[in-house]
C-alpha cells in the first residue's frame, strides 16, 4: 500500500526546498513543474495548441518561452484560466502514469509536488497534504529577489493563487519555512516519521 503525500505551498514559500530534501532522502517525488516543462517541450502536441491560443510571441525555438507566457497569464485571469484548462489535463495524465508505476513497485511513500494542488480539485488522490508556508512579507520579498520582479509584479503573482492562509487551514501538516533550512528539514523529518507510524 502506497501512501501518497500531496506537497504544496504558495509561490516562493519554499516548496522546492522541501521537495529537494525529500528527493535527497531517497523518496520518489513526482514534480508537476518538471512535468509541465516536459509537456511543452520540443515536438509535444501541446506546443502548437498554446501558440495558436496565445500567439507567436510565446515561442522560443520550437518550444515555449515560459517567461513570455507568464507575463500574459498573470496579467489576465481569463487567459490564466484558459492556460490551466489546456495544461492541467496533460500534466495530470503524465503524473498519474508515473504514480501508477511507483504503486506497482510497491513504493511505501510517494510525493506529488503540485503548486496548484487545492485548485486542481483532486483531493481524493492524497492520503496526506503538506503545505509549506511563510508569512506574506517573506513570501513577497523572496519572490521579488528570486524572479527579479517589482513589488507590484510579485503581488500580482501571489494573488493569482489561492491564499496561503487558506491552504494552511486545509493542510494535514504545515511546514513552517520562515526560519533556517535546517529548521524546515527537522519539521519534514517529524512529518515523515508520523506518516511511517500511520502506515
Amino acid at each position: 500500500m502506497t501512501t501518497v503525500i500531496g506537497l504544496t505551498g504558495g509561490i516562493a514559500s519554499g516548496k522546492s526546498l522541501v521537495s529537494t530534501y525529500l528527493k535527497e532522502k531517497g523518496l520518489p517525488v513526482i514534480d508537476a513543474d518538471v512535468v509541465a516543462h516536459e509537456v511543452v517541450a520540443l515536438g509535444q502536441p501541446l506546443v502548437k495548441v498554446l501558440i495558436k491560443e496565445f500567439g507567436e510571441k510565446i515561442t522560443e525555438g520550437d518550444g515555449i518561452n515560459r517567461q513570455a507566457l507568464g507575463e500574459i497569464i498573470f496579467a489576465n485571469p481569463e487567459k490564466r484560466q484558459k492556460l490551466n484548462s489546456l495544461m492541467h489535463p496533460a500534466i495530470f495524465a503524465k503524473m498519474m502514469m508515473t504514480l501508477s508505476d511507483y504503486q506497482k513497485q510497491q513504493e511505501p511513500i510517494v510525493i506529488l509536488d503540485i503548486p496548484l494542488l487545492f485548485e486542481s480539485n483532486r483531493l481524493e488522490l492524497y492520503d496526506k497534504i503538506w503545505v509549506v508556508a511563510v508569512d506574506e512579507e517573506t513570501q513577497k520579498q523572496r519572490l521579488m529577489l528570486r524572479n527579479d520582479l517589482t513589488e507590484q509584479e510579485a503581488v500580482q503573482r501571489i494573488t493569482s493563487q489561492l491564499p496561503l492562509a487558506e491552504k494552511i487551514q486545509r493542510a494535514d501538516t504545515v511546514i513552517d519555512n520562515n526560519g533556517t533550512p535546517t529548521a524546515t528539514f527537522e519539521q519534514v523529518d517529524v512529518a515523515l516519521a508520523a506518516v511511517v507510524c500511520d502506515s
Side-chain angles (χ1 to χ4, degrees):
M1 181 70 179
T2 300
T3 299
V4 180
I5 297 172
L7 176 67
T8 193
I11 188 169
S13 67
K15 181 178 59 61
S16 295
L17 178 74
V18 172
S19 182
T20 300
Y21 179 66
L22 290 165
K23 289 175 195 169
E24 288 171 354
K25 289 178 76 71
L27 288 159
V29 176
I30 307 171
D31 187 332
D33 283 339
V34 172
V35 176
H37 278 88
E38 291 171 355
V39 299
V40 295
L42 176 66
Q44 292 298 315
L46 191 55
V47 172
K48 288 182 180 178
V49 176
L50 293 180
I51 292 168
K52 184 178 179 183
E53 181 65 38
F54 298 102
E56 293 287 339
K57 59 189 167 189
I58 68 163
T59 58
E60 186 172 61
D62 291 315
I64 298 294
N65 181 323
R66 288 167 64 92
Q67 185 174 347
L69 183 57
E71 287 169 4
I72 294 170
I73 60 115
F74 283 118
N76 187 318
E78 287 181 10
K79 289 188 182 296
R80 185 165 66 247
Q81 194 171 1
K82 181 65 178 178
L83 177 68
N84 288 342
S85 73
L86 294 169
M87 293 280 292
H88 286 179
I91 295 168
F92 185 75
K94 192 159 188 176
M95 291 183 79
M96 288 306 96
M97 286 173 59
T98 307
L99 175 60
S100 178
D101 288 343
Y102 282 129
Q103 289 170 326
K104 287 171 187 171
Q105 295 163 24
Q106 298 184 325
E107 284 284 353
I109 299 172
V110 177
I111 317 293
L112 295 186
D113 179 345
I114 305 180
L116 302 179
L117 184 148
F118 291 110
E119 293 89 334
S120 67
N121 291 320
R122 292 190 173 100
L123 302 186
E124 71 282 354
L125 269 175
Y126 315 105
D127 299 299
K128 299 287 181 185
I129 295 175
W130 294 2
V131 170
V132 183
V134 290
D135 63 65
E136 290 180 11
E137 185 60 26
T138 301
Q139 183 184 23
K140 183 178 71 177
Q141 293 299 329
R142 286 181 181 173
L143 182 57
M144 289 169 65
L145 187 65
R146 187 189 78 184
N147 290 31
D148 193 25
L149 301 176
T150 65
E151 184 173 5
Q152 182 181 355
E153 288 170 333
V155 169
Q156 189 179 58
R157 281 160 171 74
I158 290 168
T159 55
S160 75
Q161 296 185 344
L162 194 69
L164 196 45
E166 188 172 335
K167 295 180 181 184
I168 289 168
Q169 286 182 343
R170 298 170 70 180
D172 295 301
T173 299
V174 177
I175 309 292
D176 182 342
N177 190 38
N178 282 302
T180 64
T182 300
T184 298
F185 299 153
E186 287 172 355
Q187 294 173 70
V188 174
D189 289 340
V190 169
L192 268 178
V195 170
V196 171
C197 286
D198 289 344
S199 300

